[in-house]
Amino acid sequence: GDSVTQMEGPVTLSEEAFLTINCTYTATGYPSLFWYVQYPGEGLQLLLKATKADDKGSNKGFEATYRKETTSFHLEKGSVQVSDSAVYFCALSDNYGQNFVFGPGTRLSVLP
Amino acid sequence: NAGVTQTPKFQVLKTGQSMTLQCAQDMNHEYMSWYRQDPGMGLRLIHYSVGAGITDQGEVPNGYNVSRSTTEDFPLRLLSAAPSQTSVYFCASTQGVQETQYFGPGTRLLVL
């Protein structure tokens, strides 16, 4: 079945550091790919998405490119802020099913 | 537009008690889902619905029931609570396959 693998956390960075959170997936069809963010005590919010190969999703300085050849959707940000501290989830939704598959989440802590 | 709402925010139950977690959305979405979130395990799908009157099981359905009598509401019932059901529960809705899911704020459940 479909699956999503994320790098293990927690990730701790200093403010203004470069961020990469790796995400790879396994899917039988042509999935859409998502990054969700969860701030403490809140539900998940969509951060960005890409619906086909080579698409780049971007939002709030975060970017991720849908790489079909490497089945990856790595999240990057050039300069993180303390306010980016949260848990980040990679997810996919394929064109066969009616539901999402989430990765385990990566906790990011940004220190001032 | 309230989006996805969930009640209660927090609940404590004794083993064997039953309760219903409420979920409602005002976006006229056909697809709704229930997830549980446990440390280190990401989100796991409990049940989902593709429209009023239609429900199906997800990855971890045992001990939970759902029904979908209207497009707006998708309650989750715990029939006989067990400590293993201590978790944070999220309801989500989406317009369709491969579309963005919108999450409620979550219900934190503690079963003693």
Side-chain angles (χ1 to χ4, degrees), chain A residues 12-104:
Chain A
T12 302
L13 296 174
S14 298
E15 208 165 21
E16 300 184 0
F18 184 85
L19 169 71
T20 299
I21 301 178
N22 290 337
C23 170
T24 57
Y25 68 90
T26 302
T28 52
Y30 300 93
S32 291
L33 302 175
F34 304 81
W35 277 101
Y36 280 83
V37 59
Q38 184 180 30
Y39 298 104
E42 299 184 8
L44 278 71
Q45 307 172 24
L46 177 70
L47 181 59
L48 53 85
K49 72 176 187 181
T51 58
K52 61 183 186 296
D54 299 325
D55 269 2
K56 177 185 284 188
S58 61
N59 185 26
K60 300 181 181 180
F62 291 89
E63 293 183 339
T65 301
Y66 189 142
R67 301 286 188 200
K68 192 170 187 300
E69 63 275 14
T70 55
T71 61
S72 65
F73 193 54
H74 305 322
L75 182 67
E76 295 182 337
K77 187 175 185 183
S79 177
V80 294
Q81 305 300 312
V82 172
S83 57
D84 294 327
S85 298
V87 181
Y88 293 81
F89 292 91
C90 186
L92 69 81
S93 178
D94 67 33
N95 54 340
Y96 295 105
Q98 286 86 30
N99 56 72
F100 275 49
V101 175
F102 286 88

Side-chain angles (χ1 to χ4, degrees), chain B residues 52-75:
Chain B
I54 306 170
T55 64
D56 206 346
Q57 297 180 352
E59 181 185 355
V60 288
N62 292 342
Y64 308 95
N65 272 1
V66 292
S67 60
R68 185 96 178 271
S69 57
T70 67
T71 299
E72 295 77 19
D73 300 300
F74 190 43

Side-chain angles (χ1 to χ4, degrees), chain B residues 23-112:
Chain B
C23 174
Q25 53 93 7
D26 61 0
M27 297 174 282
N28 202 34
H29 287 168
E30 290 295 328
Y31 294 81
M32 296 186 73
S33 303
W34 275 103
Y35 295 88
R36 59 178 289 173
Q37 183 179 30
D38 301 294
M41 301 188 74
L43 277 75
R44 293 183 292 170
L45 182 68
I46 304 171
H47 286 283
Y48 65 96
S49 169
V50 300
I54 306 170
T55 64
D56 206 346
Q57 297 180 352
E59 181 185 355
V60 288
N62 292 342
Y64 308 95
N65 272 1
V66 292
S67 60
R68 185 96 178 271
S69 57
T70 67
T71 299
E72 295 77 19
D73 300 300
F74 190 43
L76 177 72
R77 296 182 187 85
L78 279 70
L79 307 175
S80 177
S84 60
Q85 294 178 303
T86 293
S87 187
V88 181
Y89 292 84
F90 289 100
C91 179
S93 73
T94 180
Q95 233 172 335
V97 176
Q98 296 193 300
E99 296 292 332
T100 300
Q101 284 207 91
Y102 296 87
F103 285 82
T107 294
R108 188 174 297 273
L109 177 67
L110 176 61
V111 182
L112 302 176

